[in-house]
Amino acid sequence: MELIFAKAYIFILAIILGFELINKVPSLLHTPLMSATNAIHGIVVVGACIVALHAHDPVLKIISFFAVLVGTLNVVGGYAVTNRMLEKFKRNSSDIKEKSGDK
Amino acid sequence: MGYITEVGYLVSAFLFILGIKYMGHPATAIRGNWISAIGMLIAVLFTFFHPSVHFENLWFILLAIVLGTVIGLYLAGVVKFTEMPQMVSFFNGMGGLTIALISIVEFFTRGIVSEVEGGFDWFFVASSAFSGVVGSISFVGSMLAMAKLWGIFESSKRSIFIRVFNALVLLSILIIYVLLIINPSPYLLVFLFIMGGVLGFSGVFPIGGADMPVVIALLNAFTGLAASIAGFAINNNAMIVSGTLVGASGTILTILMAKAMNRTVLGVILGGFGGTKEAASNVKGNVQEISVQDAAVLLAYSKKVIIVPGYGMAVSNAQNEVHELEQLLESKGVEVKYAIHPVAGRMPGHMNVLLAEAKVDYSKLYEMNEINPEFKNTDVVLVVGANDIVNPAAKNNPNSPLYGMPILEVDQAQNIIFMKRSLRPGFAGVENELFYNPKTRMLFGDAKETLKKLISEIQNL
């Protein structure tokens, strides 16, 4: 039971941190940010690996195989899509730098 | 005790927080994404350093990870920029599905063990069932949101029948949930998740396309919350911290988006655009068309032009042409700015991403509050496929369902050119009185095609 309370503290602090981190973000980053947080909840792949590691029943092995598969999709797809969006921003800001460097 | 694993999780939690922080600024955003991805890699790797790990199942876990990586990279690589919101919705749904599957596997596994040890731990049952049912809602809801954005499902009108149905499904979910805690059964758990899926479907089904960004953001927050609660169920700190961070930040994003549309999150879910029929049609007057030639002259001889992009630009993939027009006008000495409404398109920042793809300098992009005072000194506003976000009914027609939504005040400008495919109302289903404004000229046609013609006309001037 004490363990649960310790985890409840982590829970509450993470909520506050989550609110604080997002509050001051410019709107042009909202879509990439949603995509990035989407990738972060891909952490469920860790849970999928854990349950897959101690699955004994063949049916459960198959289900946990799919759990790891779709969890990985969430993680990899999430980060890759976010990266693609942000690459555009990066290229643009370096363009601006090059332009001002020319002058 | 798995200290090594816990240390790995601690490092990864720190990297996630740092990553989100860096994501908050355009210059550091890409670094933020990488930092968070490295955190994820550490979390996954260190999971296998736990002393309780048996390696007999490792082969198929690695196979699943490799397969998932290949498919994920492929999908993320081929998706068009205009279809990003659908893709985010899809990956979010996959996360929700994972949580439901974790819950099922863990429940059955413990079910076999508990015959020996006697009984389930109620905390495990409660948290695992809760995370799984939220995951199921998120999975089916995200898939439907994706289908709607892809136009597979039309946005349908809400009815009292669906509301009653939703209430009944929600009620039965609560009842099954309580029954499950009293008398844990893996089969009841599966049934609970199926009901969760039903609620995900019937909950998103009546919500119109205009509200999809809010829905996707909300479902993203749901998946985060579910991941966190699943972390409580299987006692995993990495899932608790990361899931909660996403749940909280996702909630903030959802509220910000709903606020920008003058909706409440509850209003979106329960439906606010119900009584539009009687209020919509107090618009009178004639619609004036403009030819491409005249529009070209009007734009080229202006001092100041503001471009208002909307979903129409995304649909016809016209961002490159918009940028080309902007550069052409600037070369003729016209001052060009972009006015970005917070909910233009299908997601907040949707227009920014598209314009960034077309390499538009983002110092030219202005947010609503910055640009609104400038419209009255503007010669021409060029609206490219936007509608509801410039509808003056939001300011001056208390009967309009849009009333109260902050808009771009383009009606203050000297001239307004509306590029649109037809006079069809926007996603909110509301007539736009701006079409009938004497200052407004309509330029009908597909945005991309029309812009190409416009550019060549201006070049020939």
Side-chain angles (χ1 to χ4, degrees):
Chain A
M1 209 58 195
E2 267 171 48
L3 196 69
I4 292 170
F5 275 104
K7 287 181 192 306
Y9 277 106
I10 300 175
F11 184 69
I12 301 286
L13 290 175
I15 287 178
I16 295 166
L17 197 55
F19 283 147
E20 284 301 313
L21 283 171
I22 296 301
N23 250 340
K24 298 149 205 155
V25 171
S27 75
L28 93 150
L29 283 173
H30 280 176
T31 299
L33 196 69
M34 186 192 299
S35 181
T37 54
N38 173 47
I40 292 175
H41 69 53
I43 190 74
V44 293
V45 74
V46 164
C49 289
I50 291 171
V51 297
L53 281 168
H54 55 80
H56 296 297
D57 185 88
V59 178
L60 295 183
K61 282 184 183 180
I62 293 170
I63 298 174
S64 57
F65 171 80
F66 276 105
V68 177
L69 177 69
V70 294
T72 312
L73 266 179
N74 184 185
V75 171
V76 175
Y79 281 115
V81 161
T82 314
N83 197 55
R84 259 189 83 191
M85 289 181 195
L86 293 173
E87 286 268 294
K88 307 291 178 186
F89 288 130
K90 194 176 119 189
R91 199 158 59 210
N92 271 33
S93 50
S94 59
D95 283 355
I96 297 161
K97 272 175 211 157
E98 279 159 27
K99 271 178 205 161
S100 54
D102 288 344
K103 288 169 195 168
Chain B
M1 260 304 284
Y3 288 118
I4 300 171
T5 305
E6 289 301 325
V7 169
Y9 287 168
L10 200 62
V11 173
S12 78
F14 174 72
L15 292 177
F16 286 145
I17 294 164
L18 203 65
I20 297 179
K21 180 146 181 60
Y22 278 160
M23 282 292 301
H25 194 278
T28 55
I30 198 149
R31 199 189 313 162
N33 194 46
W34 276 106
I35 290 173
S36 135
I38 291 165
M40 185 64 72
L41 191 66
I42 292 175
V44 173
L45 276 180
F46 277 71
T47 300
F48 295 99
F49 289 134
H50 201 279
S52 72
V53 164
H54 309 292
F55 288 95
E56 50 169 298
N57 288 349
L58 198 63
W59 67 272
F60 78 76
I61 295 173
L62 291 179
L63 180 67
I65 290 178
V66 170
L67 266 179
T69 305
V70 171
I71 301 171
L73 286 177
Y74 175 76
L75 289 175
V78 295
V79 66
K80 288 186 206 133
F81 258 80
T82 43
E83 289 167 349
M84 287 288 176
Q86 287 92 311
M87 211 65 240
V88 173
S89 192
F90 172 78
F91 291 131
N92 178 49
M94 290 300 107
L97 178 63
T98 309
I99 296 163
L101 295 179
I102 290 172
S103 198
I104 290 170
V105 174
E106 187 68 4
F107 223 90
F108 275 96
T109 306
R110 292 207 188 186
I112 297 160
V113 177
S114 72
E115 281 165 22
V116 192
E117 294 176 1
F120 274 97
D121 159 17
W122 73 267
F123 185 79
F124 164 74
V125 177
S127 53
S128 146
F130 182 85
S131 71
V133 80
V134 176
S136 313
I137 293 171
S138 186
F139 167 53
V140 179
S142 296
M143 292 300 117
L144 182 60
M146 180 185 77
K148 280 196 168 202
L149 285 176
W150 249 310
I152 299 168
F153 270 99
E154 284 293 308
S155 303
S156 55
K157 294 278 172 215
R158 53 187 75 248
S159 69
I160 190 74
F161 169 75
I162 289 180
R163 259 188 240 188
V164 173
F165 182 78
N166 283 341
L168 287 175
V169 176
L170 185 62
L171 187 70
S172 58
I173 285 176
L174 290 174
I175 293 169
I176 300 166
Y177 184 66
V178 173
L179 284 177
L180 192 71
I181 293 173
I182 297 168
N183 186 17
S185 135
Y187 298 98
L188 197 58
L189 184 86
V190 173
F191 183 61
L192 178 71
F193 293 173
I194 291 170
M195 292 304 280
V198 171
L199 186 63
F201 189 89
S202 64
V204 174
F205 186 74
I207 302 175
D211 287 331
M212 269 318 130
V214 182
V215 172
I216 295 175
L218 185 69
L219 292 174
N220 184 41
F222 271 20
T223 314
L225 174 72
S228 163
I229 304 298
F232 276 100
I234 64 169
N235 197 7
N236 184 288
N237 285 329
M239 282 168 77
I240 297 177
V241 175
S242 330
T244 314
L245 278 174
V246 177
S249 57
T251 307
I252 282 282
L253 258 183
T254 313
I255 293 170
L256 284 178
M257 290 157 67
K259 214 183 259 172
M261 296 156 85
N262 195 40
R263 313 284 309 273
T264 58
V265 176
L266 208 63
V268 169
I269 301 165
L270 298 178
F273 283 172
T276 58
K277 284 159 210 141
E278 75 278 11
S281 56
N282 58 352
V283 196
K284 288 179 191 79
N286 293 317
V287 173
Q288 304 175 75
E289 267 194 71
I290 190 169
S291 67
V292 176
Q293 290 80 2
D294 291 347
V297 173
L298 188 56
L299 285 168
Y301 292 101
S302 300
K303 277 209 190 80
K304 184 172 177 179
V305 171
I306 295 180
I307 299 174
V308 178
Y311 189 59
M313 183 185 82
V315 169
S316 76
N317 225 334
Q319 56 273 19
N320 289 309
E321 282 72 17
V322 169
H323 181 45
E324 205 180 321
L325 177 70
E326 166 227 311
Q327 287 179 315
L328 186 59
L329 290 174
E330 294 246 291
S331 74
K332 292 193 176 280
V334 184
E335 184 189 1
V336 184
K337 290 181 175 178
Y338 292 86
I340 310 294
H341 190 277
V343 294
R346 287 294 177 272
M347 289 182 109
H350 194 180
M351 293 299 122
N352 302 79
V353 171
L354 292 177
L355 292 173
E357 189 205 3
K359 298 180 191 169
V360 173
D361 180 356
Y362 50 68
S363 65
K364 285 202 175 69
L365 310 186
Y366 290 83
E367 291 187 16
M368 184 168 59
N369 297 333
E370 298 172 304
I371 199 91
N372 265 344
E374 293 195 28
F375 281 113
K376 55 180 178 293
N377 305 320
T378 303
D379 301 305
V380 186
V381 169
L382 182 66
V383 182
V384 186
N387 191 349
D388 295 331
I389 58 169
V390 295
N391 192 338
K395 274 192 309 183
N396 51 32
N397 180 3
N399 292 325
S400 170
L402 292 173
Y403 188 68
M405 174 171 112
I407 55 160
L408 291 166
E409 293 164 1
V410 302
D411 55 327
Q412 311 253 317
Q414 306 304 316
N415 294 283
I416 303 145
I417 299 177
F418 246 107
M419 297 187 54
K420 244 185 142 294
R421 272 173 300 184
S422 67
L423 276 181
R424 220 166 58 94
F427 256 99
V430 186
E431 189 81 52
N432 194 339
E433 61 188 73
L434 200 57
F435 298 163
Y436 306 94
N437 188 310
K439 291 191 287 189
T440 304
R441 303 285 185 279
M442 304 299 291
L443 188 53
F444 288 120
D446 174 76
K448 196 186 184 91
E449 292 307 310
T450 317
L451 279 166
K452 276 184 184 161
K453 284 182 210 155
L454 200 55
I455 290 164
S456 70
E457 277 299 327
I458 296 176
Q459 279 166 340
N460 294 334
L461 277 178

